[in-house]
């Protein structure tokens, strides 16, 4: 017999609310979704518990295809050994689901970006911080000028890092041939976005100016 913990009990309470309020009234929708999904948007977001894209964009099941990880990062196109989770999801979204839009959603107070800035995990062993350190070393290059100009502490530097990370992900997305080609044919649009946790305001990146402004 499963002995529920406080955490599981809370999850099950939520599940029962969902069954009553979310699932039953929308049974028709779930019937349709059973046949398959056709989301038109892929969102790449941080795993941070405060920035659930489905919540922020108020979408229903079936509407967005989501990948979440530390700092909402997309690694470059690589064929090295290892398990490429983001690349697999991206391939599925672009080639199979044929999403029309990919949104990279960075956010304020991002722990992953902060660690990239302070490099506090550098040199740690896998399982002791090493996996994170290696993951966020994707940001090393953009970190340099930020650290030089704004230092490695404080919100100004952190926010600059958080927004730079979105640009790194967009750049890395374009190293995938399928993304590049579809973007060129105007079959796919890439967007950078930033959700400021402190005021709950979504910002969109204008790639021509490199600036984020409120949506
Ligand atoms: Zn984060």
């Amino acid at each position: 017999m499963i002995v529920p913990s406080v955490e599981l009990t809370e999850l099950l309470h939520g599940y029962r609310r969902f069954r009553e309020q979310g699932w039953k009234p929308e049974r028709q929708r779930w019937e349709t979704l059973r046949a398959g999904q056709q989301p038109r948007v892929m969102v790449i977001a941080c795993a941070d518990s405060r920035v659930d894209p489905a919540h922020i964009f108020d979408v229903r099941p079936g509407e967005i295809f989501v990948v979440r990880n530390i700092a909402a990062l997309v690694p470059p196109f690589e064929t090295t050994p290892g398990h490429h989770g983001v690349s697999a999801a991206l391939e599925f979204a672009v080639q199979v689901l044929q999403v029309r839009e990919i949104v990279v959603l960075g956010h304020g107070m991002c722990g992953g970006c902060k660690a990239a800035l302070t490099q506090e995990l550098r040199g740690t062993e896998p399982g002791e911080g090493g996996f994170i350190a290696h993951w966020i070393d994707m940001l090393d290059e953009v970190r340099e000028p930020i650290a030089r100009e704004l230092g490695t502490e404080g919100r100004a530097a952190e926010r600059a890092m958080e927004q730079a990370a979105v640009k790194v992900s967009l750049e890395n997305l374009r190293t995938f041939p399928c993304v590049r080609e579809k973007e060129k044919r105007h079959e796919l649009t890439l967007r950078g976005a930033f959700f400021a946790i402190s005021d709950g305001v979504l910002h969109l990146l204008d790639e021509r100016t490199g600036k984020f402004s409120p949506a």
Side-chain angles (χ1 to χ4, degrees):
M1 191 186 129
I2 295 171
V3 182
S5 57
V6 176
E7 290 76 17
L8 179 61
T9 304
E10 277 179 21
L11 289 181
L12 292 176
H13 279 316
Y15 163 68
R16 290 193 179 105
R17 279 195 305 275
F18 160 73
R19 286 283 297 179
E20 279 306 311
Q21 297 160 22
W23 194 81
K24 273 187 195 159
E26 290 213 71
R27 191 164 292 177
Q28 186 63 45
R29 182 171 178 79
W30 290 100
E31 277 296 315
T32 315
L33 284 173
R34 203 172 58 167
Q37 56 168 341
Q38 286 180 308
R40 303 184 57 174
V41 178
M42 176 184 196
V43 180
I44 296 157
C46 184
D48 191 304
S49 60
R50 299 165 294 181
V51 288
D52 182 347
H55 213 152
I56 293 170
F57 296 116
D58 191 25
V59 290
R60 293 149 79 203
E63 288 187 306
I64 56 174
F65 186 79
V66 179
V67 169
R68 297 178 71 177
N69 60 43
I70 299 289
L73 295 177
V74 178
F77 180 80
E78 289 172 329
T79 53
T80 48
H83 294 94
H84 301 284
V86 177
S87 307
L90 182 64
E91 188 174 76
F92 186 72
V94 171
Q95 302 287 54
V96 181
L97 296 174
Q98 306 197 327
V99 296
R100 304 281 308 165
E101 192 129 348
I102 301 177
V103 179
V104 176
L105 178 66
H107 72 96
M109 315 301 288
C110 181
C113 289
K114 189 175 180 183
L117 192 59
T118 60
Q119 301 206 318
E120 62 202 274
L121 296 174
R122 179 150 283 201
T124 53
E125 292 296 317
E128 306 294 331
F131 282 121
I132 301 173
H134 179 47
W135 178 247
I136 58 180
D137 72 15
M138 275 187 258
L139 300 176
D140 280 357
E141 214 179 297
V142 294
R143 172 194 179 273
E144 284 306 314
I146 294 170
R148 222 180 309 124
E149 205 179 311
L150 300 168
T152 58
E153 275 169 35
R155 278 308 294 152
E158 286 164 17
R159 193 176 171 106
M161 194 70 211
E162 289 154 2
Q163 298 193 340
V166 172
K167 296 177 191 172
V168 167
S169 286
L170 289 173
E171 202 176 297
N172 287 345
L173 274 171
R174 295 188 173 108
T175 64
F176 287 76
C178 61
V179 171
R180 217 168 39 226
E181 281 155 27
K182 289 205 174 202
E183 193 184 28
K184 211 159 100 190
R185 291 200 300 264
H186 304 289
E187 292 169 11
L188 181 66
T189 304
L190 305 188
R191 296 209 196 267
F194 176 83
F195 182 73
I197 284 191
S198 50
D199 56 11
V201 174
L202 181 76
H203 294 67
L204 292 176
L205 170 65
D206 181 339
E207 285 200 88
R208 284 166 308 171
T209 63
K211 298 250 183 301
F212 286 81
S213 29

